[in-house]
Structures are given as C-alpha cells and as structure tokens.
Amino acid sequence: MDPTFETRWSQFSAKKQAYLAYARPMEQKVGSFLTYRPDVEAPQAGALQGLPFAVKDNIAVKNFPLTCGSRMLETLVSPYTATAVARLQAAGAVVIGKTNLDEFGMGSSTDLSALGKTNNPWDFSRVAGGSSGGSAAAAAAGLVSFALGTDTGGSVRQPASFCGVYGLKPTYGTVSRYGMTAYASSLEVMGIASKSLALTEKVYGVMKGRDPHDQTSLDPAPGVARAVKTIAVLDGLTDLEPAVQRAYEATLDHLKALGYRLLPVHLGTLDYAVPAYYTIATAEASANLARFNGIRYGLRPEYAENPEDLIRKSRTAGFGDEVKIRIMLGTYVLRSGFQDQYYTKAQKVRTAIRNDLQKVFDQADLLMTPTFPTRAFVHGDRSMTPYQQKLADKFTVTANLAGIPALSFPAGLEEGLPVGMQFMAPAFEEGRLFEAAAKFATRVAAPDCPGTSLDWSK
Amino acid sequence: MYQTFVGLEIHIHLNTATKVFCGCKAHFGDEPNTNVCPVCMGYPGVLPVLNQHALELAYTVSLALGCQLSHRTLFDRKNYFYPDMPKNYQITQFHEPVGQNGSIEFALADGTTKKVRIHDVHLEEDAGKMIHAGDMTLVDYNRAGYSLLEVVTEPDLASGEETEAFLQAFQRVVRYLGVSDGNMEEGSMKCDTNVSINKAGAGLGTKVEIKNLNSSRFVKKAIEHEQKRQAAVLEAGNKVSQETRLWNENRDVTETMRTKEGGLDYRYFPEPDLPPFVPDASFLKRIQDAQVELPLARKQRLVREFGLSREQADFVTDARFTADFFEQAVRASAASGGSAMANWLMGDVQKELNHFNLTLEACPLTAGRLASLQSLLDAGRIHTKIAKQLLVSIFEEDKDPETLLQEKGLESIATEQQLAPIVESVFSAHPNVVAAVKAGDARQKGFLVGQVMKATGGRAAPDLVNALLAKFLA
C-alpha cells in the first residue's frame, strides 16, 4: 500500500473536486475537524510535495484558529506557526484543517471538547479516543494523508489504536514544542497519526531536529544501527479487555513467528506511573493554563467588579470540568510545604521508571505492550469511573515519563474494531520502532476502515 | 532602645539590547505594545529562549558582589495572577540562583564603612505596565520580558539613612559595572524594603515589607515612618503584624496592602522549558574580564595614591567616567597633584558643565585638555585667572589650551624685564597715588595693581606684579 499511498495523496490538488466529493460527506459523519479548509493548493515541490495534512487544534498555524477545544480560546487566531508545522509546509505538505481534541489535551475520548463531537470512523457510536481524537479519526477516515497530534500521556497513541492507524510519539525533545499549546511541558511532544508507516517515518524525519525557539529541543543522536532481535514483554499481563487480551496474545505469536525472541520482564514501577504522571502533568498544567484568565487570553465576562472577579468569572465559564479538576489538582500538589509529599516524590518515581526501563533495554531492543486496555468505547460510556479511565493510561504514560519514543501500531481487528499495540524503544531509537512495525505489517497489515477510500485520486 | 533591621530586595533592569526570553527590543519610551512578539505576549505554545548576555551580566554582578557562582543555574516558575503578567507566572530563579552568599561594603556618612551580606542574586523577567485611564485600565507589554536582576540582602541595615547610603552605593556599583542605569526615578532600579524592629539585643522582629518605593529618599522616609509606627505598636503592648505595605508618597505614610493571611503561595517549581545553564571556561573568563575596580575600593585608592580629601574622593568616584577622567588627567599632567585636578572637576569644570548643560562624557573638555591646562599653570605660562578663562574657551570653541593660548595671546608676562617698564609707566602716570601709598595709604596699592593688569590685558603674573610694586615703592 505504501508507495501508492503517497502517490495517491499527492493527487490532492489535481483531483480536488473528487476529493471533496468523498471527504465532505465523510467529515459530516466523523466530525474530525474544528476548522476544515481543504480548498487550498498544495505546493508541488519538496519531500512531502502535495500532501494534505491536519493539525490538532492545540498547535499553532498562522491565520488558523487555535481553540484547544475550549470555550476559552474559541475566538483566538494564531499569529504564528509552530516550528514543526513550518518544516512540513516547507517540505511541500499543506495544512487543510485543525482537528478536534479533548479540551487542552485533557482526556482520552475527545468527548471533552467544548467545540465539537468526533466519532470513530469504524463505528460512529464510538469515540475516536483522545486527546488527539480528531487527528486519528481524520487519518483513519482518509481525510488526510497524515495528521499531527500531541502526546502528553498517550494522546496520539491511544486514539491511533482506537482508529486503527499508526501513532508515533517521538523521543522527548526531538521535535520542537514551539507552537504547541503547553499542557505538561516536561512530558509532551508532537506526534503523528497516519495509515502509512512509511509516511509516518518520513514526516518524522522532516519534523525532527533542534529548533532555536525551543531550548529543550535537540538533534537526535544517530541511532546505533542494530537489527531488532529481542522484544521485552510484560510478564503475566492480564486485566485487559478480553478482545484486547486476544489481540495481545495473537501479537505475541506473530512476533515469535517473525523470529523475534520474546523476553518476559517485570516492571515494578509500572503501578506508580499513573499517579506520578498525573501529579507532574497537573502541576505543570496549573501554571501553563494560568494565562487563560480573560485578561490577555480567554473568555471575557460582560461585567466584573475587579481583576480578581474577572478572572474568576472567565475561568468558571471558560473551562470545562476536567480542566478545572486538573488545574485544582496541580495547584494542590504544588502548595508550599506539600511539594515533597507530591511533586518531588512524583519526580523520584519518574527517575525510578526511567531506570527500570533502562534495565529492560539493557536486555532487549524493544518493549511491547498493548496501547490501551480497551478498544474504542461508546460515547458517554460509564463502565469505567474517571479514576479507572486514568489508570488505563499506564502503558502510554510510561513512555512520556521516561521521555522515550513509542509507536502504536494496528494489530488487527477484534469484533470489527481495531486494536493497537505499542513498541517502546530507548531514547532516539525511533528506527527500531519503524523496523519492527514494518516487519509486523508483513503479517498483519493496517486495516482499511469500511467506507473509506482513496479512489478519488484515480 | 529599639533596634532596626532592614533588608532589601533590589531589582535592576539589565542593559541588554533585547528582552531576556525573546528577541524583542528592550527599549523605554516607545509606542505601547510595539516591542512585543508572541513570546513576550505569552501566546499559547511559545517557549522562552534565554538571553546569554543577560546571563553574563547576572554572573558579572554576582562575582562583583563576592557571591558563590552557580555551576548549574536553574530557572523556576513563580505562580501568581497579575493583570500585566501575560503568562500569569514569572520565570525566575528560586532553587539554584546565579549567585549566593556575597557581600557589599559601602561608606557611611561619617566616613566609616559597613558590610551588608547578599543572600542571593537571581535573574528573572519583568512584567508589563498598567496604564489607568478613567474607568479603563490598559496594558502596555513593551516592558514584559525585560531582563530583571534581583539582589536580595540580609537584614543588615540599621536605619533609613544607612539604607539610603547603601542604595546609592549599590547604584554606583551597577553603574561602574555597566550592567544597568540603576535609575530609580525612571524605574530601571526598584527596591522592596523589609523592616522589622525589636528591643535591642532581642534579634529580628516581625518583618513588614514595603513596596512602591521609587527613590532612595522614599526608602529612607518609609523606613523612618515604619520605625515610629512599629515602635508605637510595640509600646502599646501589641504585636506587629506580618504584612506587605505600600508607600503613599503623597501622605508620607505606609499603608496595608495585604496581610500574611492573604499572602500568596507562589508554588515555585522548576521551569521545564529551560534546561540548566552550566557556565563553561570561556563564559567564566568573560565574567572575570568584565570585573572593574568597585567605587569604594577606587575611592580608598585615590585617597591613598593622590592624597584626596574624602569630599574630593567622593566627588571624583561618584561616576566611573569621572574617576577615569580624573586619573587620566592627573597622569598626563606630570607636575601637579591630584588635589588640584579634583578641585578643577569639583569647581570650574562642574560650573561650566552646568552652564552649558553638558555632561563630562559629552563635552569638549577631555582629560588631555584639562591636563595641558594644568601644565600651563604649573609651568607658570598662565596664571589661575587666565586658566579659568581658557577653560571657558575650551567649552566654547572646542580647541586645545595651547592653541587657544597662542590665538588669544594670553601667555603670562612673567619676567621682570617685560613687566618693569609697564610698572614704571603706571607710576609716572599716577604720581599722586604713588605718593599716597608711599605715605602709608596701603588701600591705594590695589589701584596700582589694577592699572598694571589693565595695561597688560590681565596677563601680568600677579606674584610678579606685587614683587615689583614692593620693589619700586621701597
């Protein structure tokens, strides 16, 4: 599929009417975009020439809205473009829209967007996952060749697994964060969702590299060329949804059949990953979101007695409940006198997780886990409490805490819904992720979502 | 019987061409919101990029104040809401500032010196500025993101007067280092003042912080007001409450701004957007090279080396340029001492600067010109009155003293051979006066001197005139 995939998508400008005839009704059903401007010409030069892509609406693109899925920023138009987006544009790709997300990236269903509803292209009654649900859905529905998301604790990989596409979370710092609305600065990185693994790798190659606007960015160290031989897997992994458990077992069999040695490991720190993640993420969020208070940015109340009243009214009306909970939690864990108990301790857990993973990578080339314990759930699903939902992030947040790269890859369908598995690699070893996922695809190809098609490009 | 403890948190704007975390111009007085960009406006998604020059200046000050320099300096976020702060957190330094545990020595009014300990020196960003217009408040973000250096002292100052002297000394230090204008009136230097009083020997009292002090004189007045206010509270058997107060310059009093109960928890945590800064050898070398002889040391050396009086040394060392000017001039005019040069600077030079409304930096008088003026005096080629006349000419015509001397023909008539015939002709023109003086009327002697001066266009060397008169009258 891959060489044709790019060739077909490069027809985007030439076959605009045919594309629109396909895409508009599809988008009506999926609702992946908050801003959709497909009526643009794509440049006909560069490594990504002519390829249309979507950008999650918490990433800045000049003259596009930058709503972050929030009432707060409903009217904000960005005066600048994120570095990674600018690099893709310079390589010939063209932005055709801004995708829906859980407000400020906080959620795993995209149902927490204040500005739109996104459905899973595989089953419109189900969520696309989140927070980059719009990006994964747009990629799966064949509305774009690839889409950018942001991954703070799994926000690219989990919706990718729900929608049956690849989802890459690169090594922290390899892709500039300049232009990415900050939620948890020390954890997050821009990522890619696409039906094509080859294109994902190519896009990553264009985006990565040091950016003078981001002092935490760096040029990835050249990976040590070595073929993946040993893949670590979690010893005695249970408590997955049965369908995911089946897909997981099947994946193990496929990997064995491909000749990989599977090494069962015990990750003692895994149970602490989620609490540590939410402590650090909410602490950073409480500061990062402070600028949205109705004075310079955000909803301005009609009347306020004084600045304090203005801020209170703005944030009360402008933020959704999940955002408020996380800001309050972050404020709580940073209180003076309580930092040792929460924030500092979470940082220690983070270090322990990093060390634990280092030990795994001393013995294995990759670590493989399910991306998420369930497949896409239905809108408004109440079978998990918010607490359980957060616990379900444990496989994904681990990579964010450790700053290492991870790739969610389609691992087949279960009862008509895609299931994703995830490879994690040591920092800067994205190459191993692509290599193993490509091999896996020779046995289990990325599925085509029913009703989606690239036929318009013929 | 009460002892006063004053500690300061001094903020200075560093002289950097651009802001501390973005490339915007750091310049006062421009149209509001013209020196701004997404970064200093805090747009969603922007990131700070640390200005290396600001960091160099911060380390330069730290070293000058004898601080231990951080080998791995970190930034932190200080969280609080304020309408002119775009991000609603300030990037500052809390856990690992640029410098810690320094000290600064300064001179008190009586000429003795005192040492104040420095707790830490840290780099941070300034906020924007609110402009209140009727029932509206506008925000100008030009200042948002200016490089701000905060120097925190220990509570080692004991009075308003001492604190005022300290602030002036501190201002001289930052100006000598060239890191800041240090101008309190223009806002490039600010100072929050912590005051506590207690029974002598009982240690620190309850700390009260005073804000809104934009001159060292106000700092002095506010401390003196607080001393009285807090003493009255203690006398009445009450406790001083820990609070932040604002100086009201119209009423000369401090007023409650917020009490400790309403105090802020800044929830400091490490800034994830800025990696630690580790100074390397070449950075540290630049910091070393940027060090200068500090004002107090220089003053003490000038007293020692040139025998200046305290008053002269104070004047000469107030600005580094004046001190440099002074030393250059003294060294260029080999014959004369420093005292004469200091007197020039304090007296006639200052008078002409005032008259022409010029600064020493930007006036026609150079150290070389002052030195050659003094050399003409020392060589007896001109006398004092002519020298003063030449100084004015330098300011008016921007020429060297020697050139002016030639052009104007002002060289002294200083030999008996030249002057004797002139004295003789004055004597023969005024025989009655000569007779009267000879008869003992000393008052009329001045008339004769005046006539000689008149006849020579003022060029006669006064000593010689007196000597010749005495000789001819004898």
Side-chain angles (χ1 to χ4, degrees):
Chain A
M1 166 174 109
D2 275 336
T4 29
F5 183 82
E6 262 187 70
T7 316
R8 286 181 159 204
W9 272 110
S10 66
Q11 296 301 303
F12 168 75
S13 281
K15 303 277 169 66
K16 183 65 62 60
Q17 290 316 311
Y19 165 80
L20 289 174
Y22 164 76
R24 288 214 189 272
M26 178 60 85
E27 168 58 9
Q28 286 272 311
K29 288 179 267 187
V30 177
S32 43
F33 289 100
L34 291 173
T35 303
Y36 189 35
R37 295 178 186 166
D39 214 4
V40 288
E41 291 303 312
Q44 295 305 312
L48 303 173
Q49 68 172 58
L51 298 183
F53 71 108
V55 178
K56 188 180 182 181
D57 208 16
N58 62 349
I59 299 171
V61 181
K62 192 173 177 175
N63 297 331
F64 273 86
L66 181 58
T67 68
C68 299
S70 179
R71 288 258 169 262
M72 266 293 183
L73 299 179
E74 208 173 348
T75 58
L76 181 71
V77 174
S78 178
Y80 77 109
T81 297
T83 301
V85 173
R87 287 182 180 173
L88 296 173
Q89 289 171 325
V94 64
V95 178
I96 63 165
K98 302 295 295 289
T99 53
N100 199 13
L101 67 155
D102 290 302
E103 188 175 4
F104 289 106
M106 298 178 178
S108 36
S109 64
T110 307
D111 282 353
L112 299 181
S113 168
L115 304 177
K117 185 179 177 188
T118 300
N119 300 318
N120 192 313
W122 291 81
D123 176 349
F124 300 135
S125 71
R126 289 176 189 271
V127 302
S131 66
S132 311
S135 288
L143 299 172
V144 287
S145 59
F146 68 92
L148 299 186
T150 60
D151 195 313
T152 309
S155 279
V156 168
R157 289 162 287 156
Q158 187 257 22
S161 82
F162 278 19
C163 294
V165 296
Y166 292 95
L168 174 70
K169 173 234 174 281
T171 306
Y172 182 81
T174 56
V175 177
S176 167
R177 287 185 293 119
Y178 186 71
M180 191 176 130
T181 305
Y183 156 25
S185 317
S186 74
L187 296 164
E188 60 206 6
V189 63
M190 232 180 263
I192 305 153
S194 175
K195 279 183 77 170
S196 163
L197 180 64
L199 183 59
T200 302
E201 184 169 5
K202 199 166 170 184
V203 168
Y204 170 64
V206 173
M207 286 163 74
K208 72 180 181 188
R210 209 187 85 78
D211 171 17
H213 288 295
D214 177 359
Q215 294 200 312
T216 65
S217 69
L218 37 79
D219 286 319
V224 185
R226 88 170 180 201
V228 175
K229 292 194 180 98
T230 307
I231 297 176
V233 294
L234 297 177
D235 196 15
L237 182 61
T238 54
D239 65 16
L240 304 171
E241 183 197 14
V244 175
Q245 187 79 40
R246 279 196 302 278
Y248 178 68
E249 310 288 348
T251 304
L252 296 179
D253 291 340
H254 286 303
L255 292 175
K256 268 184 260 177
L258 285 166
Y260 291 116
R261 186 170 77 91
L262 299 185
L263 177 74
V265 294
H266 177 71
L267 261 189
T269 47
L270 193 61
D271 288 341
Y272 303 99
V274 169
Y277 169 79
Y278 277 96
T279 303
I280 294 167
T282 58
E284 292 179 9
S286 71
N288 282 327
L289 270 61
R291 73 194 68 191
F292 309 121
N293 69 348
I295 289 184
R296 175 74 200 133
Y297 304 100
L299 208 63
R300 180 67 70 88
E302 275 186 20
Y303 173 80
E305 282 289 337
N306 51 45
E308 224 166 74
D309 188 38
L310 187 152
I311 292 169
R312 189 177 298 113
K313 282 178 170 155
S314 171
R315 289 163 78 83
T316 300
F319 286 138
D321 286 347
E322 184 65 28
V323 174
K324 285 178 190 160
I325 287 168
R326 294 196 194 190
I327 291 173
M328 285 191 283
L329 186 58
T331 306
Y332 180 83
V333 300
L334 285 178
R335 281 174 312 154
S336 86
F338 292 83
Q339 288 207 0
D340 283 351
Q341 205 171 324
Y342 297 111
Y343 188 74
T344 312
K345 189 175 260 181
Q347 294 291 6
K348 283 180 185 158
V349 171
R350 188 173 186 174
T351 305
I353 287 174
R354 205 173 280 168
N355 294 341
D356 231 9
L357 283 167
Q358 189 49 55
K359 274 179 221 145
V360 169
F361 292 127
D362 286 344
Q363 308 163 63
D365 303 308
L366 292 174
L367 171 64
M368 200 276 288
T369 70
T371 305
F372 201 73
T374 74
R375 295 164 301 158
F377 44 86
V378 295
H379 286 292
D381 179 57
R382 297 269 181 272
S383 62
M384 285 200 285
T385 64
Y387 178 66
Q388 286 170 322
Q389 266 190 31
K390 287 183 169 67
L391 279 184
D393 293 337
K394 70 175 177 184
F395 301 123
T396 49
V397 298
T398 304
N400 299 86
L401 287 167
I404 60 173
L407 177 79
S408 177
F409 58 95
L413 300 177
E414 288 290 337
E415 295 152 16
L417 287 178
V419 183
M421 297 294 147
Q422 149 181 260
F423 286 135
M424 287 181 248
F428 311 118
E429 297 294 346
E430 277 80 358
R432 293 187 201 171
L433 304 175
F434 296 129
E435 179 201 315
K439 242 182 182 174
F440 184 81
T442 62
R443 289 184 70 92
V444 182
D448 284 319
C449 178
T452 65
S453 164
L454 273 175
D455 287 351
W456 55 265
S457 61
K458 281 184 184 154
Chain B
M1 65 173 187
Y2 287 108
Q3 204 175 347
T4 302
F5 302 90
V6 180
L8 302 174
E9 294 165 24
I10 309 168
H11 291 91
I12 54 170
H13 276 155
L14 294 176
N15 284 338
T16 51
T18 55
K19 295 183 179 182
V20 64
F21 296 126
C22 66
C24 286
K25 204 165 64 158
H27 189 258
F28 275 116
D30 291 340
E31 278 288 297
N33 297 311
T34 51
N35 298 331
V36 294
C37 73
V39 176
C40 56
M41 296 284 273
Y43 265 83
V46 298
L47 298 168
V49 176
L50 184 58
N51 182 328
Q52 287 285 310
H53 187 220
L55 208 49
E56 275 188 35
L57 298 185
Y59 270 89
T60 299
V61 172
S62 298
L63 184 57
L65 300 185
C67 292
Q68 292 159 11
L69 302 183
S70 172
H71 296 302
R72 187 173 178 276
T73 196
L74 298 171
F75 288 83
D76 297 274
R77 290 186 184 177
K78 180 180 182 180
N79 296 287
Y80 62 103
F81 285 96
Y82 210 71
D84 60 11
M85 194 163 61
K87 300 188 297 292
N88 288 305
Y89 62 78
Q90 180 193 33
I91 303 179
T92 179
Q93 300 193 288
F94 183 71
H95 291 102
E96 185 62 45
V98 165
Q100 292 185 82
N101 302 324
S103 68
I104 172 170
E105 199 179 359
F106 71 106
L108 297 170
D110 65 2
T112 61
T113 65
K114 171 159 185 159
K115 201 174 249 188
V116 168
R117 291 168 300 153
I118 303 294
H119 180 271
D120 77 86
V121 176
H122 61 261
L123 181 60
E124 58 190 23
E125 59 181 336
D126 204 350
K129 197 165 93 183
M130 285 193 279
I131 299 155
H132 303 285
D135 59 351
M136 245 184 346
T137 298
L138 304 168
V139 188
D140 175 8
Y141 293 96
N142 280 354
R143 200 181 63 188
Y146 262 62
S147 318
L148 207 55
L149 194 72
E150 181 168 342
V151 177
V152 183
T153 77
E154 299 289 356
D156 292 345
L157 293 156
S159 70
E161 199 182 341
E162 214 174 277
T163 306
E164 186 181 27
F166 173 79
L167 276 171
Q168 286 161 355
F170 180 82
Q171 192 174 49
R172 272 194 292 278
V173 167
V174 297
R175 287 176 179 171
Y176 263 59
L177 289 167
V179 300
S180 175
D181 305 338
N183 195 321
M184 287 190 86
E185 283 74 19
E186 285 172 17
S188 55
M189 177 164 141
K190 278 184 224 168
C191 143
D192 295 338
T193 305
N194 295 306
V195 185
S196 76
I197 71 166
N198 210 346
K199 287 245 158 52
L204 294 171
T206 305
K207 183 175 87 174
V208 171
E209 182 179 4
I210 314 165
K211 286 182 179 286
N212 196 35
L213 295 164
N214 54 16
S215 82
S216 54
R217 195 170 50 90
F218 288 155
V219 173
K220 173 174 179 266
K221 285 166 100 175
I223 291 167
E224 286 165 357
H225 174 265
E226 271 305 300
Q227 285 173 316
K228 284 190 208 116
R229 188 188 68 83
Q230 293 182 26
V233 170
L234 294 178
E235 286 300 313
N238 296 319
K239 277 186 175 160
V240 173
S241 65
Q242 188 177 338
E243 60 181 347
T244 301
R245 299 175 71 86
L246 283 182
W247 173 247
N248 181 330
E249 65 177 75
N250 298 319
R251 296 182 47 224
D252 277 4
V253 295
T254 64
E255 293 163 347
T256 297
M257 178 185 167
R258 60 170 177 255
T259 58
K260 195 194 175 219
E261 290 70 43
L264 299 171
D265 178 354
Y266 294 119
R267 308 190 313 279
Y268 289 98
F269 75 97
E271 167 57 84
D273 292 335
L274 291 170
F277 174 79
V278 178
D280 61 16
S282 76
F283 182 91
L284 292 172
K285 167 115 190 353
R286 287 200 297 281
I287 302 310
Q288 280 292 354
D289 292 346
Q291 297 302 311
V292 298
E293 187 182 20
L294 295 181
L296 180 64
R298 190 157 194 179
K299 187 175 110 180
Q300 290 166 340
R301 180 172 63 78
L302 294 190
V303 167
R304 218 167 45 235
E305 218 168 291
F306 300 107
L308 298 189
S309 70
R310 206 170 82 211
E311 195 197 356
Q312 285 174 324
D314 276 339
F315 182 91
V316 166
T317 57
D318 189 50
R320 185 177 152 197
F321 186 87
T322 311
D324 290 346
F325 190 106
F326 166 81
E327 287 203 59
Q328 278 169 29
V330 175
R331 291 183 205 293
S333 67
S336 191
S339 186
M341 210 55 85
N343 287 337
W344 270 117
L345 290 171
M346 291 172 76
D348 292 277
V349 170
Q350 192 55 47
K351 195 176 107 198
E352 295 313 322
L353 288 173
N354 292 344
H355 178 247
F356 289 97
N357 194 24
L358 290 170
T359 60
L360 192 58
E361 286 93 327
C363 79
L365 183 69
T366 60
R369 281 176 175 174
L370 184 60
S372 49
L373 192 63
Q374 182 62 39
S375 298
L376 290 175
L377 263 176
D378 291 342
R381 291 178 60 196
I382 55 173
H383 57 81
T384 309
K385 206 170 162 205
I386 297 290
K388 290 183 180 192
Q389 211 175 311
L390 278 179
L391 181 69
V392 176
S393 301
I394 293 170
F395 272 86
E396 283 169 348
E397 301 178 37
D398 192 6
K399 288 177 183 164
D400 290 334
E402 186 74 47
T403 312
L404 290 166
L405 187 66
Q406 299 309 326
E407 283 179 8
K408 297 181 187 297
L410 291 174
E411 197 143 353
S412 288
I413 297 171
T415 62
E416 193 172 334
Q417 203 182 352
Q418 285 173 301
L419 199 57
I422 298 167
V423 175
E424 277 166 18
S425 67
V426 167
F427 272 43
S428 47
H430 302 283
N432 297 340
V433 179
V434 173
V437 174
K438 280 187 171 164
D441 185 358
R443 285 173 307 160
Q444 300 228 39
K445 196 176 165 187
F447 173 81
L448 295 175
V449 174
Q451 289 302 308
V452 174
M453 282 300 179
K454 195 176 167 191
T456 58
R459 295 184 295 136
D463 292 347
L464 186 59
V465 174
N466 286 329
L468 285 179
L469 283 183
K471 188 173 167 188
F472 290 159
L473 290 167

